Amino acid sequence: MTLEKAPKESYVVSTEMVLPNDTNPLNNLMGGHLLHLMDVVAAISAQKHSNRIVVTASVDNVSFKHSPKLGDVITLEAHVTRAFNSSMEVFIRVWSENIPNGTKVETNQAFFTFVAVDQTGRPITVPKIKPETNIEKKLYEEALQRREVRLMMAGRMKPKDATSLHSIFDKK
C-alpha cells in the first residue's frame, strides 16, 4: 500500500523581524540564529507531512548570499520535496525584506533532512508525496541524488551503491 500526500500540505511560511538580540556587532542577523529558524520551519513542515515527531538528520550546505540587517523582516518558506522510508527532505528558502526601503532579496536556500520517529524514538514510515508542479517534480527527482551524496558523506553508503549518481556520470 502506498501512502500519498500532496506536497502543498507541508508548505510552511514563517516571518520574523531581526531584533537587536539576534544580531552580531555589524548589526547583521547571526548565522546561528538563522539556522535555528530554518530548522524550526523545516521541522514543522516535516511534522505536517508525516503527522509524527521528527528529528533533524542532516543539513546540507547553507551559504549566505546576503546578510539580513537589524530591523529587516525575514520570511522562511519550507516544504517537503521527497519522502523516503522514514526520512524526508525539506527545502527551505529565506528572504530578507527592508520594508521602509521597499527591497526584498533572497538570502538563503538549503535542504534539511528529518526522520520521523515514534514515541520511543524509533524511525517510522512516512507517507510518500506526489509532486504536482514542474518545480516540485524537479526537486523530487533530484532528491534521490542529494540523498545519496548525504549518505556517502556520512559514511553510510559506498560510492558504488549510489546508483542514482552513476546515471549522471555514466551517460554516453
Side-chain angles (χ1 to χ4, degrees), residues 34-116:
L34 180 59
L35 289 172
H36 168 78
L37 295 172
M38 292 172 79
D39 191 41
V40 170
V41 73
I44 293 169
S45 175
Q47 284 184 341
K48 286 180 75 169
H49 175 74
S50 64
N51 200 32
R52 296 289 181 181
I53 297 167
V54 298
V55 294
T56 308
S58 72
V59 176
D60 286 11
N61 179 29
V62 180
S63 52
F64 297 82
K65 300 176 191 175
H66 300 280
S67 298
K69 307 281 187 216
L70 177 64
D72 285 356
V73 173
I74 57 171
T75 302
L76 302 96
E77 178 186 282
H79 71 279
V80 175
T81 59
R82 188 160 182 171
F84 294 95
N85 186 31
S86 61
S87 68
M88 296 157 281
E89 180 189 77
V90 180
F91 179 55
I92 305 108
R93 291 179 73 182
V94 181
W95 290 270
S96 178
E97 184 175 6
N98 182 310
I99 293 173
N101 290 346
T103 58
K104 184 176 181 178
V105 295
E106 183 178 359
T107 63
N108 304 81
Q109 288 186 3
F111 292 95
F112 283 40
T113 303
F114 291 86
V115 174

Side-chain angles (χ1 to χ4, degrees), residues 120-164:
T120 66
R122 293 180 186 258
I124 189 165
T125 304
V126 298
K128 302 295 182 207
I129 67 166
K130 185 174 181 177
E132 297 172 356
T133 68
N134 288 338
I135 292 169
E136 288 170 350
K137 289 175 184 176
K138 181 175 176 8
L139 289 169
Y140 178 90
E141 292 300 322
E142 294 171 345
L144 182 56
Q145 295 164 355
R146 288 187 295 272
R147 180 176 191 260
E148 288 180 351
V149 168
R150 285 183 207 108
L151 291 172
M152 286 190 312
M153 298 283 288
R156 295 181 55 214
M157 177 181 273
K158 296 182 191 282
K160 67 179 177 74
D161 297 326
T163 56
S164 173

